[in-house]
Amino acid sequence: MNKLVRTLYLVYQYLIAAPIFVVATLFTALLTMITCSVGNRDYWGYWPAHWWSRFTCTLFLMRVIVEGRENIRKGESYVFVANHQGAYDIWAIYGYLDHNFKWLMKKGLEKIFAVGTACKKAGHVFVDDSSVAGIKETIEEAEKTLKHGMSVVIFPEGSRSWDGRMTPFKRGAFMLAGEFGLPVVPITIDGSFRAMPRSTYNMTPTTIRLVIHKPIVAGEKGFNTRRLMADCREAINSALPPEDQDE
């Protein structure tokens, strides 16, 4: 992208797209709060945000392509685990995974104006890992969610990468999968770091690729959290470009 095109895009991003995005976000949060309060939280907790995410990617001129959708079945429960390159990971998964789910998200996100309340109403699970009691409460909340055939999505790195490469995984998602005997589906996200790195709010139009890998079934007998983590990391790593892969 040459300097002139880059400048024009940034003008568009901040003066046109960003205000529209803020209005769309507040509208989606309000719609989610109202409809989830009325009923059918699993439906209304997903679809408004699904279309908001697609709209966001289009608004900021991002293209999302998905590979491996045939590896998952509609109506089945999974624990989806993905690498976390940037903010667009959220919009790419919400908008293009096409599988109803709840997020396992940091408790601090609960404080975001309107969005935090909407996420609560939608039934997303806030992860409190500050104490044993908090972890127990998180597992209990996740258990209620998964009982109804719902799936969950988590970023096992915990936070966005600073350089596009994966950071060490935390065990929570994999322990949850073992606890409930659910298949774990690794998802590779490639391109969202280029779209908007953690170090800036300036965006760059690009193609974001989601690769849905085959489910890994965690057997109840002889369950090995470390092995499951390693298998998922290997799968995610295999679909990243060479410069972003583990050494």
Side-chain angles (χ1 to χ4, degrees), residues 120-176:
K120 250 194 208 177
K121 292 282 188 185
H124 299 299
V125 180
F126 291 97
V127 178
D128 179 7
D129 57 4
S130 60
S131 65
V132 174
I135 293 170
K136 186 181 176 186
E137 187 180 335
T138 298
I139 290 173
E140 287 172 355
E141 276 300 308
E143 184 175 16
K144 287 179 201 169
T145 299
L146 293 167
K147 268 182 178 174
H148 302 290
M150 185 59 64
S151 295
V152 294
V153 174
I154 190 169
F155 298 115
E157 293 164 273
S159 57
R160 288 170 289 164
S161 167
W162 283 104
D163 60 3
R165 298 169 68 92
M166 283 191 287
T167 58
F169 283 0
K170 297 178 180 178
R171 295 190 303 164
F174 307 99
M175 292 172 70
L176 191 68

Side-chain angles (χ1 to χ4, degrees), residues 46 50 54 57 63-72 74 80 88-89 91-99 185-190 207-213 239:
Y46 174 73
H50 168 80
R54 281 185 169 247
C57 290
R63 179 172 175 250
V64 180
I65 58 174
V66 182
E67 300 171 18
R69 204 188 299 283
E70 69 279 2
N71 289 325
I72 57 175
K74 288 190 181 294
F80 293 100
Y88 270 92
D89 299 337
W91 296 311
I93 288 178
Y94 230 155
Y96 297 88
L97 181 61
D98 288 350
H99 193 96
V185 178
I187 297 176
T188 301
I189 302 174
D190 172 38
T207 296
I208 299 168
R209 196 164 128 271
L210 291 185
V211 181
I212 304 169
H213 297 276

Side-chain angles (χ1 to χ4, degrees), residues 18-72:
I20 294 171
F21 169 74
V22 170
V23 172
T25 300
L26 292 174
F27 173 78
T28 303
L30 184 61
L31 177 64
T32 300
M33 284 186 265
I34 293 171
T35 52
C36 286
S37 297
V38 173
N40 201 351
R41 188 173 72 169
D42 287 348
Y43 181 89
W44 291 108
Y46 174 73
W47 286 106
H50 168 80
W51 290 111
W52 164 74
S53 295
R54 281 185 169 247
F55 174 74
T56 298
C57 290
T58 302
L59 179 67
F60 288 105
L61 311 182
M62 306 294 171
R63 179 172 175 250
V64 180
I65 58 174
V66 182
E67 300 171 18
R69 204 188 299 283
E70 69 279 2
N71 289 325
I72 57 175

Side-chain angles (χ1 to χ4, degrees), residues 76-80 177 181-185 215-218:
E76 285 201 17
S77 290
Y78 301 102
V79 175
F80 293 100
L182 289 176
V184 180
V185 178
I216 299 172
V217 179

Side-chain angles (χ1 to χ4, degrees), residues 189-223:
I189 302 174
D190 172 38
S192 86
F193 181 77
R194 293 189 297 277
M196 189 171 74
R198 185 174 178 177
S199 58
T200 181
Y201 289 110
N202 292 343
M203 301 179 193
T204 301
T206 190
T207 296
I208 299 168
R209 196 164 128 271
L210 291 185
V211 181
I212 304 169
H213 297 276
K214 290 182 179 179
I216 299 172
V217 179
E220 294 177 11
K221 208 169 184 181
F223 176 75

